[in-house]
Amino acid sequence: MKSFRAIWAALALSLGLVGAARAEEIVVTHYASLLYGTPYAVALDQGFFKQAGVDVTGILTSKGGGTSVRNMMAGDTLFAEVAFPAALSALKEGFPIKIISGGTAGPSSFWVTRPDMKIDTPEDLKGKRFVYSRPKSVSESSIFAVLKSHGLKPSDVQMIAIGDFGAGLTALEHNKIDIAIIPEPIYSQKMKAGAKYKIIPWLDSKLPPYTQTVGIATNDMIAKKGDKLRAVIEGRRKGTDMLYSDHKATAAALAKGYNLPPDIAASALAGILKQTPTWWSRGELDMKQMEDTALSLKDTGALEGDVDWKAAIDDRFIPKDLQSKTQ
């Protein structure tokens, strides 16, 4: 005969008195459209989040910039990976958040113009129309940094926010703008479709290493769900490790998670790894790189004032074996 305790446990479960751990959603900037979310797609496909101790049932996307931060705040969401400039801007505005993990760093896109455009020197950039996604986005800050690296100011060019990268390329093709950023997998998709663009390879050649995205959480989530935050970062770390060790399996997970043709997923992944072989971090925070990036944002007017790093960062949730790499 079953013990009373066993009978009660079975009854409680059948009545819903004992439930499974609460499932969680997270936000990842441009998820399912740009490759920031590749480690998360792998982690979902391979069950790495559950293995680490958190049931991530869905990944919410955003159009980049400050929308990623607002989406996290509005939905009472556990965690978000957002553009670094957007995180700093939110902190400056008093949002109750902390930077808790690293995301991506370095170039990941191609700068393109129309085939007939003469843009061969920094002088040729003057007066040209640059397109970016949204204010406080990676694309906006990248333009600021590129201009600065060639001795130019934002006022030397025209900058147009268009929201979607695909719309930016359409604007380029119809002579509404002159220079666009084309990230993966959009680049691979366009090339397969026979698009004709002129790549400007020298445009970001002088840029120092810079932080693109970081992981953030609200102070409330940090206080209440530290173990789950730790599990999200660990699950993403496992996804990143697989990304670097098994390109074939990663491309398959990317195709599934992003609803991409397998050949496009493989081409996009190869394109990123060729351009910046260590673009995805395993979760560690590179303080020098973040400080340098923040200084560049400040110098170009994209960030006001200094950053209080002690107040901005909580690195307790990074896997212990990576904490020594957080400098």
Side-chain angles (χ1 to χ4, degrees):
M1 181 180 292
K2 293 182 178 179
S3 69
F4 177 78
R5 181 178 296 177
I7 293 172
W8 168 247
L11 178 62
L13 183 60
S14 68
L15 294 176
L17 299 177
V18 178
R22 179 180 180 271
E24 302 287 351
E25 289 183 325
I26 62 176
V27 174
V28 177
T29 185
H30 293 291
Y31 188 76
S33 60
L34 305 184
L35 298 193
Y36 300 107
T38 305
Y40 300 94
V42 174
L44 278 179
D45 183 65
Q46 297 294 312
F48 292 151
F49 290 127
K50 284 188 177 181
Q51 291 175 21
V54 61
D55 184 14
V56 175
T57 56
I59 298 179
L60 307 176
T61 189
S62 77
K63 293 294 185 179
T67 60
S68 303
V69 181
R70 290 191 292 273
N71 286 355
M72 181 189 73
M73 302 293 292
D76 193 32
T77 307
L78 176 65
F79 169 91
E81 183 169 324
V82 305
F84 183 53
L88 294 182
S89 178
L91 286 161
K92 286 288 185 181
E93 292 174 27
F95 280 55
I97 64 171
K98 293 284 192 299
I99 295 172
I100 66 170
S101 62
T104 57
S108 60
S109 304
F110 301 93
W111 298 86
V112 297
T113 187
R114 292 180 297 280
D116 60 342
M117 286 290 291
K118 181 184 182 301
I119 303 180
D120 301 319
T121 69
E123 190 67 22
D124 295 332
L125 299 175
K126 291 184 177 180
K128 295 299 187 293
R129 299 164 294 177
F130 281 76
V131 69
Y132 64 99
S133 63
R134 281 173 171 75
K136 311 303 181 184
S137 64
V138 169
S139 55
E140 181 191 46
S141 62
S142 295
I143 294 171
F144 287 148
V146 160
L147 293 174
K148 180 185 175 185
S149 73
H150 292 292
L152 300 174
K153 303 184 296 294
S155 59
D156 290 327
V157 303
Q158 298 179 53
M159 293 181 58
I160 301 169
I162 204 163
D164 181 77
F165 286 101
L169 291 171
T170 300
L172 175 67
E173 293 162 4
H174 289 83
N175 196 24
K176 301 298 183 182
I177 58 100
D178 302 310
I179 299 173
I181 298 176
I182 179 168
E184 292 285 11
I186 298 173
Y187 180 79
S188 291
Q189 292 169 324
K190 287 286 188 177
M191 291 300 102
K192 184 178 180 179
K196 302 294 183 182
Y197 302 113
K198 178 182 177 181
I199 296 177
I200 313 173
W202 55 267
L203 204 57
D204 57 6
S205 62
K206 294 184 177 181
L207 288 185
Y210 59 93
T211 301
Q212 277 213 36
T213 60
V214 291
I216 65 171
T218 64
N219 295 342
D220 186 55
M221 289 297 175
I222 287 172
K224 295 178 179 178
K225 297 185 177 182
D227 288 346
K228 288 191 175 183
L229 291 172
R230 187 173 287 107
V232 167
I233 296 170
E234 173 62 18
R236 181 194 177 280
R237 188 271 288 269
K238 289 182 177 178
T240 305
D241 286 345
M242 181 171 167
L243 186 162
Y244 288 126
S245 65
D246 192 336
H247 297 172
K248 184 176 180 180
T250 297
L254 181 63
K256 178 181 176 182
Y258 277 45
N259 194 28
L260 289 171
D263 62 328
I264 295 295
S267 174
L269 180 63
I272 291 284
L273 291 171
K274 180 178 180 180
Q275 187 175 31
T276 309
T278 58
W279 188 56
W280 295 275
S281 86
R282 301 173 73 220
E284 66 271 21
L285 291 166
D286 187 326
M287 285 306 306
K288 185 180 186 308
Q289 185 181 84
M290 289 195 298
E291 289 168 356
D292 289 346
T293 304
L295 181 60
S296 177
L297 292 170
K298 180 181 176 181
D299 288 346
T300 55
L303 180 69
E304 295 183 1
D306 297 323
V307 178
D308 182 352
W309 294 108
K310 186 175 182 180
I313 291 174
D314 188 340
D315 63 358
R316 291 174 295 162
F317 309 105
I318 297 171
K320 290 188 180 297
D321 64 312
L322 298 179
Q323 286 184 5
S324 63
K325 297 181 180 180
T326 296
Q327 303 171 358

